[in-house]
């Protein structure tokens, strides 16, 4: 379950990127890196994610992701594309998750899902489209099916948020997540703060009982 929640956090963070020529919300400067610190419910650092805009084209951008442990030691890396078209940023959720499945090399697996859409201009009171992704891995003795669904995505407020990277004016987006692994499900609620021209500044995930589960903050822009 922890591995699947890592996929989910990566997916949601990645949705904060878009191509600059059709968005006023997100950065698209080649070589720019956003450093995200993922922490547990007590605020203890667990994982460091470094998202670098490696290429910008007319129809989108390529994002390189480096994953490090809490001691800043390299764990793995991958890359994915964000497509900007029709006034929205489109992220292929299945492609993003596929890039994180290196540990299943040599096994048969399939990924199906909806693209994750974000409009290039957010407004308080706006409702965003749902998204889901299903992963099925044949582990030999058994098949493991994981489904992640994101629903009730709403822009509910405009707030100022302070992190180690600075103070930012952010749109607060809330949504519900259902993570099911071979029939065992966990329901989560999430809050994500997105700043124009920056991207994701802060994110929190809560259990169904309202207790904080994980939190992520923008630690550095370089």
């Amino acid at each position: 379950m922890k591995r699947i929640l890592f996929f989910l956090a990566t997916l949601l963070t990645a949705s904060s990127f878009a191509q600059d020529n059709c968005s006023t919300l997100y950065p698209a400067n080649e070589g720019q890196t956003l450093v995200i610190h993922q922490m547990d419910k007590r605020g203890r650092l667990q994982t460091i994610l470094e998202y670098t805009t490696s290429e910008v084209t007319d129809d989108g951008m390529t994002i390189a992701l480096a994953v490090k442990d809490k001691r800043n030691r390299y764990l793995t890396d991958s890359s994915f594309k964000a497509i900007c078209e029709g006034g929205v940023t489109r992220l292929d959720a299945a492609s993003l998750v596929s890039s994180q499945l290196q540990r299943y090399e040599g096994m048969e697996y399939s990924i199906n899902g909806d693209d994750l859409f974000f409009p290039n201009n957010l407004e308080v009171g706006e409702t965003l489209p749902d998204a889901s992704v299903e992963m099925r891995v044949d582990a030999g003795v058994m098949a493991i099916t994981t489904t992640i669904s994101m629903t009730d995505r709403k822009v509910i407020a405009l707030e100022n948020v302070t992190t180690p990277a600075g103070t930012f004016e952010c749109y607060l987006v809330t949504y519900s997540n259902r993570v099911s692994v071979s029939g065992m499900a966990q329901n989560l609620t999430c809050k994500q703060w997105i700043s124009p021209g920056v991207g994701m500044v802060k994110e929190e995930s809560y259990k169904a009982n309202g207790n904080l589960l994980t939190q992520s903050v923008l630690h550095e822009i370089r």
Side-chain angles (χ1 to χ4, degrees):
M1 181 66 76
K2 288 184 179 179
R3 174 68 65 173
I4 298 305
L5 292 177
F6 170 75
F7 291 160
L8 181 61
T10 301
L11 175 67
L12 296 176
T13 302
S15 70
S16 297
F17 291 89
Q19 213 274 350
D20 187 60
N21 65 10
C22 59
S23 172
T24 60
L25 290 174
Y26 312 111
N29 300 318
E30 288 190 1
Q32 179 170 295
T33 298
L34 302 184
V35 181
I36 306 292
H37 282 196
Q38 293 185 322
M39 298 170 288
D40 64 14
K41 62 184 179 181
R42 294 183 176 87
R44 296 175 298 194
L45 179 62
Q46 301 295 302
T47 310
I48 299 171
L49 306 179
E50 296 182 354
Y51 290 93
T52 301
T53 305
S54 59
E55 182 182 16
V56 177
T57 63
D58 290 338
D59 62 352
M61 59 198 300
T62 300
I63 306 298
L65 168 63
V67 183
K68 299 180 178 179
D69 67 13
K70 61 185 179 181
R71 294 182 175 85
N72 206 37
R73 296 177 299 193
Y74 168 83
L75 296 176
T76 186
D77 59 45
S78 62
S79 65
F80 55 92
K81 289 202 69 172
I83 305 300
C84 188
E85 59 184 9
V88 300
T89 296
R90 175 170 59 85
L91 185 71
D92 184 343
S95 295
L96 176 62
V97 173
S98 178
S99 71
Q100 302 296 317
L101 294 181
Q102 298 176 5
R103 73 191 187 111
Y104 294 125
E105 185 175 357
M107 300 182 186
E108 293 187 4
Y109 64 85
S110 61
I111 305 172
N112 298 287
D114 306 316
D115 289 347
L116 185 66
F117 288 89
F118 246 101
N120 293 326
N121 294 283
L122 298 180
E123 295 182 3
V124 175
E126 186 174 10
T127 298
L128 307 178
D130 296 340
S132 65
V133 60
E134 180 182 270
M135 299 169 284
R136 180 180 173 85
V137 178
D138 186 351
V141 296
M142 63 180 296
I144 302 173
T145 300
T146 301
T147 303
I148 301 171
S149 300
M150 290 167 278
T151 60
D152 301 320
R153 300 171 65 209
K154 298 177 181 178
V155 185
I156 66 168
L158 191 62
E159 300 180 349
N160 287 329
V161 175
T162 298
T163 77
T167 298
F168 307 90
E169 184 177 60
C170 301
Y171 289 97
L172 172 56
V173 179
T174 61
Y175 42 85
S176 299
N177 290 324
R178 180 177 175 84
V179 183
S180 176
V181 182
S182 296
M184 299 181 61
Q186 182 173 22
N187 294 311
L188 306 173
T189 58
C190 292
K191 297 179 180 180
Q192 189 178 59
W193 287 263
I194 300 173
S195 177
V198 178
M200 194 203 78
V201 169
K202 183 179 178 181
E203 196 251 355
E204 296 175 344
S205 297
Y206 296 85
K207 296 180 181 179
N209 61 8
N211 291 336
L212 182 66
L213 180 64
T214 63
Q215 51 187 318
S216 301
V217 299
L218 178 62
H219 192 266
E220 182 184 0
I221 302 174
R222 62 173 188 242

